[in-house]
């Protein structure tokens, strides 16, 4: 018994020991071993046991009703838009700008600036009616400094334009005046009040200006990655292995003659490294922009031009000079998509805001106008995508969908209907047949007759399926491009009373226009050429293998171009069109081409009779009459634009089965092919 | 164990001496075993408490138990904030150099309680919001617990509300932080700056070079590009869950809900109500509330009581007026309610204004113009108002930050991060576009309107397997095209060597042969370094029917449309209503949505996209099925540009004279079924049908016009 008990006791004991060793051993082992070297979870901010009991940073009573305080008066020296600019003066006509006349001899740049302000739609001659008074601070070269002008009023509503950093010792306090200065230092720049201008070289053209240098979208495969500034003002390109270069752009070892190339002005590389201080850096910045070389700014101490509205992150890289090696590595690894986008944006910005003195000045005024407009200012998209805020007027709309340029970005498309606008000139008969043909189109929403005829309005018009409105015109040719409020559709079909179109031509042209809503789609064309003999431009309506203009006597375009034609073109040009009616086509084509930078589109036109005779839009003369195009007109317009915006096209868009030897039954636009 | 119990019961008397000895021995042994087992059991059941004893100490602590630090009265005080600080002057960017993922690393100091010489605390140890904020940072990718690797330091000293702290002592507490170094790379969060009577617009605590994320900056205190402007968080709207409200007119046009307005301002807003009647509602504190009703959640107009913040949803525009401070928590309430804020606070820097486009989501009115507010708002078109309403709640990046401390913290760090790694920064669109716009919009990668110079020419790429004779004919034909600048033969046959150099046709442009590693269709669309022109002509090794004029004209058309596929025979996709799926159509239709890439011009960039950015498994799928690479290319280009293809010339098919009619019909039908399958497969991978249908093709200007042929530029445009 005893031994049995003892045995069982021993058994139990040893079993327990075994259990202890097995279970405890592992635990002891785990304890004994140091913490595993495997990745240790980082110790975060502790989760407090009493986190829920913590008090809020502000007590409910305190938050909404902190002690009230009376309105503040603006500080003496520092100004901002709300406190130092009086917008009530601008209420009537929007921004009106008065420029103080120059006192003494002025420099070339100065003269260009004056000319471009006087040519703008903002200019006024009366200081009393102006809401912005502009003072050009004189250049250092002339040695004279401006004295305090008459209407100074402590600088209120004044803009002081300074081209060179503080050439004069201040003869008067700036007071509440805004300063527009070329590349101001970040420390003195008052964001939202001052305007940062680009550096304007003496040779900067007044109008037009050289286009961007980029001829292709993507960088060439063997193009240098980096361009570095040279001390003497040029550029030097370096291969992809630029890590040997120190931060100030000078390379410690010359990479050898095969790898570097010197450029006098415009660098040919993907990225342009710009360090250093203004104004050298600022002028190089513009050079790079024009060349399509993506500016890489190393810790700039100056404000980028028009930074208030331009999103520079889309066109340049602002990096810290202290992280140069990292930046270089990042540039080398940058995805082709990003490089492509940055490069193209440099060209757009250069062309839209910087290529001429006029553009720079108009952009400055537009920036100030946007501040005055407040909610009806240009949205950021309009500033930062083609064609730019100078060509996309916010007075037309602030919704990008209303413009012909942003359908893709907005994921929308133009309306499926158009308005026909028929101009009835002095000697035209009421275009009853034309009205029938156009009204027959399934896409036609309304017909507007612009009656510019001596005779009284006919009492009866033909019965049409769509509403017909008659507008009594003022017999000016430019009236046909007036933004009539009765036009309710995106698309306009502009016609002359004696144009002759078939319903199926209209239908097809409209369907094509829907694919190209920013361009003009027309039936009859003419083309421009450089006339060596006369040393000027000429144009012809003869049939050639290419064309650059479509006649507005039969063309589809977006109604926005009416607003642009009436409100953005200089008055002189519209007067020119009124005086020489053949010019109006050229003018409209220049305008659209300057915006789109693309040629118009031609669609097939059946009436050989009219094609044989070059057409003139409805002038005062009776009927279509052979009239030589006026070369004077195209040259005057080209001079006013400062460049030749027209582009030539080699193609015509036809229906897919056009004139193919297949059964006509298959063809949708079969009547287009009738001789 | 049982046995021992028995012994115990029987009592000591019955057990002999020897046994007693045994008994003690046994009992000791058993007790040890028992203890051991219990201990083991404890190890097993609370394994974590033993393993990570450190965590146990940290995690399960009370805020009250944090270490106390005594600040001597004469400990150093940092200098006042330096107004001229910018990233390149006051920020030590070298500390951020380590990070490979373009992400800054943020360290948070451990929480301590600071007391002065007399043991009086310097401030509340930590507020609920600041704890939440630090938790959010600690949970994010930015966090590091290694002080040596950190680029940004966040003190755990809570300065959210200046009223709750003692300025000098807090500054001393900051100065003794282990890496303070004049505040370099330190980030402070403050929402309620200043104090009576003059209420500075930035935190008054001397902080030297530290960055300040402040709510309520004015243009005078905000260091552009250095500080970050943040919203004043409203605990109120975080408590209340307001339903989403669609855009459209609301019951009130304009609402003022703030209490404690300056009398002058109150007069102004009340004048608005008198003038415009019903459409303006001006609320104030309730004076006659019964006991127990939370007064912060109620607002009154005369004797009418409104729930706050719910009432904000009843208005289109809500006034956010400056109080003693510029930053008002009501802005967060208003945004949370989906009401468009009308900000009347001169010189106020709106939250995150460095990246957020407030023009799209608010109306800023100068204080001077307060009496005109109504007419200013009335002049905004209804459509723009609706866009603003969508914007107020729809900003994706903002992630409803008006109700979330976490979003405020992360947005602040993102902004600082983007300054340090600008090449990887988040774009304007990502910050500002509501999701609806993002899904619908297309951003064409080739958006610049350029007509490339003709002189550039194009590179022809011929994909070939072993049809050498036909290949040589194609080479000879293509080399007649004036604008050809290079010819690239992609030799896709690994078992056979390309013919000897001497056998190739002699042509006027460089000819290169590329041998591939595998016989794959996608080799045709590889962005070879040898392609030096932007224009690429993909051409099959059996396309010999295209005339030189036809090819040259195709190139001219591509120059005018460099962002599109320009090809010859067109094809169409159609919706099959019976089968409820897409169908491939090669009949002679009036419409086109694709072109065959047996001969097509396109931009070289699309080769890069095809090879590296093709969505889903399409590329491998095409290689495996040896079909539909052209449809895939059509999908890709249409999807990325949003534009239709351009079909040039009347050509309808590629007839090769050599190919005998290989038992036509049945093969044709299986071919059509396969192609239809491709379209359906691709449409499902893309998640949409990107192809665009058009009714036009491009012909030379004078094509088939009654005009002397010899004067036409492209007289020989070929047949169908």
């Amino acid at each position: 018994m005893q031994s049995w008990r003892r045995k069982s006791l021993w058994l139990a004991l040893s079993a327990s020991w075994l259990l202890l060793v097995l279970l405890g051993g592992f635990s002891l082992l785990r304890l004994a071993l140091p913490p595993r070297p495997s990745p240790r979870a980082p110790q975060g901010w502790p989760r407090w046991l009493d986190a829920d009991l913590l008090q809020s940073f502000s007590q409910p009573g305190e938050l909404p009703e902190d002690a009230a305080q009376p309105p503040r008066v603006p500080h003496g020296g520092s100004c901002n838009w709300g406190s130092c600019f009086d917008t009530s003066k601008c209420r009537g006509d929007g921004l009106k700008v008065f420029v103080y006349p120059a006192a003494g001899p002025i420099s070339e740049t100065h003269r260009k600036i004056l000319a471009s302000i006087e040519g703008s739609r903002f200019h006024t001659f009366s200081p009393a009616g102006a809401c912005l008074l502009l003072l050009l601070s004189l250049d250092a070269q002339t040695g004279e400094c401006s004295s305090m002008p008459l209407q100074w009023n402590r600088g209120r509503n004044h803009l002081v334009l300074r081209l060179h950093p503080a050439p004069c010792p201040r003869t008067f306090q700036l007071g509440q005046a805004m300063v527009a200065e070329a590349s101001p230092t970040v420390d003195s720049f008052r964001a939202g009040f001052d305007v940062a201008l680009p550096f304007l070289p003496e040779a900067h053209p007044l109008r037009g200006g050289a286009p961007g240098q980029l001829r292709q979208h993507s960088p060439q495969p063997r193009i240098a990655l980096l361009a570095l500034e040279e001390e003497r003002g040029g550029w030097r390109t370096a291969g992809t292995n630029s890590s040997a270069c120190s931060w100030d752009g000078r390379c410690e070892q010359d990479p050898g003659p095969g790898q570097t190339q010197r450029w006098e002005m415009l660098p040919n590389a993907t990225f342009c490294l710009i360090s250093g201080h203004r104004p050298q850096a600022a002028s190089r910045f513009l050079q790079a922009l024009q060349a399509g070389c993506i500016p890489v700014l190393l810790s700039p101490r100056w404000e980028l031009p028009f930074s208030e509205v331009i999103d520079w992150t889309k066109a340049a890289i602002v990096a810290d000079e202290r992280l140069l090696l990292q930046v270089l590595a990042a540039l080398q690894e940058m995805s082709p998509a990003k490089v492509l986008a940055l490069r193209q944006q440099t060209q757009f910005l250069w062309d839209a805001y910087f290529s001429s003195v006029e553009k720079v000045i108009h952009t400055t005024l537009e920036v100030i106008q946007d501040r005055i407009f407040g909610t009806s200012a240009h949205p950021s998209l309009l500033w930062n995508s083609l064609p730019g805020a100078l060509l996309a007027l916010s007075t037309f709309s602030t919704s990008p969908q209303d413009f012909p340029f942003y359908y893709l970005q907005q994921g929308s498309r133009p309306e499926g209907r158009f308005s026909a606008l028929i101009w009835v000139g002095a000697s035209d008969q009421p275009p009853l047949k034309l009205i029938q043909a156009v009204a027959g189109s399934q896409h036609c929403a309304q017909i507007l007759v612009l009656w510019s005829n001596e005779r009284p309005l006919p009492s009866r018009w033909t019965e049409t399926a769509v509403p017909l409105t008659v507008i009594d015109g003022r017999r000016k040719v430019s009236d046909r491009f007036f933004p009539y409020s009765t036009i309710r559709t995106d698309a306009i079909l502009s016609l002359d009373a004696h144009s002759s179109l078939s319903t199926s031509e209209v239908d097809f042209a409209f369907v094509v226009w829907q694919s190209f809503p920013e361009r003009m789609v027309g039936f009859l064309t003419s083309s421009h050429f450089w006339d060596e003999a006369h040393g000027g431009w000429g144009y012809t309506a003869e049939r050639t293998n290419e064309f650059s203009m479509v006649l507005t006597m039969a063309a589809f375009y977006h109604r926005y171009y009416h607003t642009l034609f009436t409100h953005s073109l200089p008055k002189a040009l519209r007067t020119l069109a009124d005086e020489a009616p053949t010019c109006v086509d050229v003018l409209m084509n220049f305008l659209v081409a300057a915006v789109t930078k693309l040629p118009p589109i031609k669609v097939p036109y059946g009436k050989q009779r009219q094609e044989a005779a070059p057409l003139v839009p409805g002038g005062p003369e009776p009927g279509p009459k052979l009239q030589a195009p006026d070369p004077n007109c195209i040259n005057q317009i080209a001079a006013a634009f400062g460049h030749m915006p027209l582009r030539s096209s080699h193609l015509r868009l036809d229906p897919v089965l056009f004139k193919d030897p297949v059964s006509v039954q298959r063809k949708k636009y079969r009547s287009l092919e009738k001789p | 164990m049982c046995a021992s119990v028995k012994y115990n019961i029987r009592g000591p008397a019955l057990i002999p001496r020897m046994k007693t000895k045994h008994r003690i021995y046994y009992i000791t042994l058993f007790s040890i075993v028992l203890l051991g087992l219990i201990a083991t059991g404890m190890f097993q059941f609370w394994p974590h408490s033993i393993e990570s004893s450190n965590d146990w100490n940290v995690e399960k602590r009370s805020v009250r138990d944090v270490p106390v630090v005594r600040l001597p009265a004469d400990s150093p005080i940092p200098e006042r904030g330096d107004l001229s600080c910018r990233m390149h002057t006051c920020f030590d960017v070298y500390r951020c150099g380590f990070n490979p993922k373009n992400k800054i690393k943020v360290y948070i100091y451990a929480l301590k309680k600071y007391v002065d010489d007399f043991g009086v605390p310097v401030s509340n140890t930590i507020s609920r919001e600041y704890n939440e904020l630090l938790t959010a940072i600690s949970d994010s990718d930015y966090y590091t617990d290694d002080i040596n690797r950190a680029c940004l330091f966040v003190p755990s000293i809570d300065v959210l509300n200046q009223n709750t702290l003692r300025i000098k002592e807090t500054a001393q507490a900051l100065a003794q932080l282990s890496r303070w170094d004049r505040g370099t790379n330190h980030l402070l969060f403050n929402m309620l700056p200043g104090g009576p009577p003059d209420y500075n617009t930035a935190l008054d605590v001397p902080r030297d070079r530290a960055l300040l994320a402040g709510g309520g900056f004015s243009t005078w205190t905000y260091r552009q590009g250095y500080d970050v402007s943040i919203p004043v968080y409203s605990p109120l709207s975080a408590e209340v869950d307001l339903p989403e409200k669609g855009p459209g007119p609301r019951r009130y046009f304009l609402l003022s809900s703030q209490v404690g307005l300056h009398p002058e301002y109150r007069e102004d807003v009340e004048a608005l109500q008198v003038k415009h009647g019903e459409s303006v509602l001006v609320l104030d504190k309730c004076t006659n509330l019964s006991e127990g009703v939370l007064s912060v959640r109620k607002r009154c107009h005369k004797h009418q009581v409104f729930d706050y913040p719910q009432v904000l949803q009843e208005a289109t525009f809500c006034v956010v007026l400056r109080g003693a401070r510029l930053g008002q928590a009501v802005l967060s309430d208003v945004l949370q309610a989906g009401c468009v804020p009308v900000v009347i606070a001169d010189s106020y820097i709106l939250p995150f204004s460095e990246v957020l486009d407030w023009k799209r989501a608010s109306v800023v009115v100068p204080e001077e113009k307060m009496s005109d507010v109504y007419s200013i708002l009335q002049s905004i078109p209804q459509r723009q108002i609706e866009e603003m309403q969508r914007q107020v709640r729809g900003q994706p990046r903002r992630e409803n930050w008006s109700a979330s401390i976490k979003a405020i913290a992360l947005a602040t760090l993102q902004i600082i991060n983007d300054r340090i790694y600008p090449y990887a920064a988040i774009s304007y669109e990502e910050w500002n576009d509501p999701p609806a716009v993002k899904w619908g919009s297309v951003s064409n990668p080739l958006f610049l309107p350029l007509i490339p110079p003709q002189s550039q020419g194009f590179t022809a790429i011929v994909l070939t397997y072993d049809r050498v004779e036909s290949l040589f004919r194609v080479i000879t034909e293509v080399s007649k095209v004036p604008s050809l600048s290079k010819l690239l033969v992609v030799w896709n046959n690994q078992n056979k060597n390309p013919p000897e150099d001497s056998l190739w046709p002699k042509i006027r442009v460089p000819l290169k042969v590329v041998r591939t590693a595998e016989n794959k269709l996608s080799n045709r669309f590889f962005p070879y370094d040898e392609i030096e022109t932007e224009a690429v002509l993909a051409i099959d090794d059996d396309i010999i029917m295209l005339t030189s004029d036809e090819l040259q004209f195709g190139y001219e058309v591509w120059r005018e449309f460099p962002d599109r596929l320009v090809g010859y025979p067109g094809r169409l996709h159609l919706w099959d209503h019976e089968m409820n799926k897409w169908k491939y159509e090669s009949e002679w239709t009036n419409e086109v949505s694709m072109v065959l890439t047996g001969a097509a011009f396109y931009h070289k960039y699309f080769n890069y996209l095809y090879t590296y950015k093709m969505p889903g498994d399409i590329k491998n799928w095409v290689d495996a099925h040896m079909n539909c690479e052209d449809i895939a290319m059509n999908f890709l280009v249409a999807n990325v540009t949003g534009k239709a293809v351009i079909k040039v010339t009347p050509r309808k098919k590629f007839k090769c004279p050599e190919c005998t009619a290989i038992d036509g019909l049945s093969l044709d039908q299986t071919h059509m079924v396969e192609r239809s399958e491709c379209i359906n497969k691709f449409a499902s991978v893309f998640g949409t049908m990107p192809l665009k249908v058009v009714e036009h093709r491009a012909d030379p200007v004078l094509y088939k016009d009654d005009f002397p042929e010899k004067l036409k530029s492209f007289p020989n445009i070929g047949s169908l």
Side-chain angles (χ1 to χ4, degrees), chain A residues 45 47 50 55 67 78 80 87 216-217 322 344 375 402 409 649-650 652 654 656 660 662 666 669, chain B residues 59 62 91 128-129 131 220 324 347 369 383-384 441 445 456 534 560 588 590 652 695 697 699:
Chain A
W45 180 251
R47 305 288 188 266
D50 43 4
Q55 283 193 328
S78 41
N80 61 36
T87 51
Q216 52 178 53
H217 289 95
R322 292 169 292 175
Q344 293 177 78
T375 52
D402 291 341
Q409 279 123 312
S649 171
H650 293 88
R652 181 182 72 199
D654 292 335
V656 172
D660 285 346
V662 292
R666 280 180 176 275
Y669 302 99
Chain B
E59 294 273 334
S62 157
F91 194 85
R128 188 168 65 224
E129 285 79 11
N131 179 45
W220 296 299
S347 83
K369 291 278 155 59
R383 203 164 65 166
Q384 199 180 345
S441 83
Q456 218 183 78
E534 285 193 288
E560 293 187 33
W588 291 27
N590 285 288
K652 299 291 176 288
E695 299 183 13
R697 72 166 197 238
D699 290 327

Side-chain angles (χ1 to χ4, degrees), chain A residues 221-222, chain B residues 459-464 486 488-492 494 512-518 520-533 536 602 604-605 607-608 611-612:
Chain A
R222 276 179 246 303
Chain B
T459 306
I461 302 182
V462 194
L463 184 75
T464 189
K486 195 182 212 177
L488 202 64
V489 175
V490 179
W491 190 262
N492 227 358
Q494 285 76 37
K512 266 252 163 106
V513 182
V514 181
R515 300 198 60 179
T516 58
E518 225 178 317
K520 288 197 293 192
L521 272 181
S522 57
N523 289 338
R524 121 171 303 174
F525 295 132
F526 188 83
Y528 298 100
D529 281 341
E530 282 82 1
I531 308 173
E532 283 173 293
T533 59
V536 172
Y602 58 86
K604 180 191 172 184
Y605 179 68
N607 269 354
Y608 161 79
T611 308
Y612 300 110

Side-chain angles (χ1 to χ4, degrees), chain B residues 179-217:
Chain B
R179 299 285 169 119
W180 177 249
D181 184 24
R182 300 189 58 202
T184 312
N185 292 21
H186 280 64
L187 174 65
L188 304 179
F189 285 90
N190 167 254
M191 285 179 182
L192 299 177
D198 58 341
Y199 286 98
N200 190 2
T201 50
L203 182 68
D204 280 320
V205 176
R207 55 188 191 279
D208 217 333
R209 293 172 151 191
L211 294 143
L212 183 61
F217 277 119

Side-chain angles (χ1 to χ4, degrees), chain B residues 295-475:
Chain B
S295 68
V296 276
R297 303 281 291 271
K298 297 285 174 202
R299 292 286 188 279
C300 287
H301 173 61
K302 292 183 182 145
H303 296 293
Q304 224 176 333
V305 182
F306 295 88
D307 284 331
Y308 185 85
Q310 287 86 341
V311 65
L312 294 172
Q313 292 207 302
E314 302 295 318
T316 308
F317 290 104
C318 293
V319 175
V320 178
L321 251 170
R322 177 161 77 76
R325 293 191 177 95
L326 277 175
Q328 294 287 313
V330 70
L331 177 64
S332 296
D333 292 338
V334 164
L335 291 170
Q336 172 73 1
C339 184
V340 179
V342 180
V343 182
I344 310 179
D346 284 358
S347 83
Y348 175 45
I349 304 286
L350 282 157
F352 302 126
S353 59
E354 189 172 337
V355 290
L356 293 187
D357 186 353
W358 281 97
K359 264 202 244 168
R360 292 170 68 170
S362 71
V363 183
V364 178
V365 178
E367 287 171 29
E368 243 179 45
K369 291 278 155 59
M370 207 157 117
S371 46
D372 301 338
V373 156
Y374 195 84
S375 57
I376 291 172
L377 298 178
Q378 281 281 311
S379 70
I380 304 174
Q382 182 59 32
R383 203 164 65 166
Q384 199 180 345
I385 294 177
E386 283 173 23
E387 267 166 38
M388 284 178 167
Q389 286 172 327
R390 264 189 286 272
Q391 197 73 17
V392 161
R393 281 206 82 159
Q395 283 204 358
R397 272 276 159 186
R398 207 191 303 151
E399 279 157 7
N400 236 343
W401 54 248
S402 42
S404 150
I405 280 280
K406 180 181 171 189
I408 296 177
L410 296 186
T412 308
L413 294 183
Q414 180 74 53
I415 288 174
I416 296 172
N417 194 67
D418 286 357
R419 290 179 192 159
I420 293 164
Y421 304 106
Y423 32 81
I426 281 180
S427 71
Y428 169 91
E429 286 75 19
E430 284 173 89
W431 280 107
N432 290 289
D433 279 354
V437 171
K438 269 188 212 158
W439 294 328
S441 83
V442 177
S443 60
N444 186 356
L446 304 169
F447 61 82
L448 190 72
L450 265 187
I451 299 183
Q454 195 192 34
S455 55
Q456 218 183 78
F458 63 88
T459 306
I461 302 182
V462 194
L463 184 75
T464 189
Y465 191 72
D466 57 1
R467 285 188 286 199
V468 174
E469 194 188 331
S470 165
L471 169 71
F472 284 1
R473 278 191 64 188
V474 169
I475 293 174

Side-chain angles (χ1 to χ4, degrees), chain A residues 464-484:
Chain A
T464 52
V466 293
L468 187 143
T469 320
V470 180
I471 303 167
D472 210 355
R474 285 165 297 164
R475 282 177 220 103
K476 281 207 293 189
V477 180
S478 58
D479 269 5
R480 61 187 300 170
F481 299 125
F482 186 81
Y484 297 102

Side-chain angles (χ1 to χ4, degrees), chain A residues 508 512 520-525 547 550 600-605 611 649 651-654, chain B residues 701-702 705:
Chain A
F508 178 69
V512 169
M520 295 226 282
V521 174
F523 299 88
L524 293 166
T525 57
F547 66 93
V550 296
I601 297 223
K602 174 176 166 51
V603 288
Y605 184 57
E611 271 198 78
S649 171
L651 58 97
R652 181 182 72 199
L653 292 183
D654 292 335
Chain B
V701 175
L702 299 172
D705 268 1

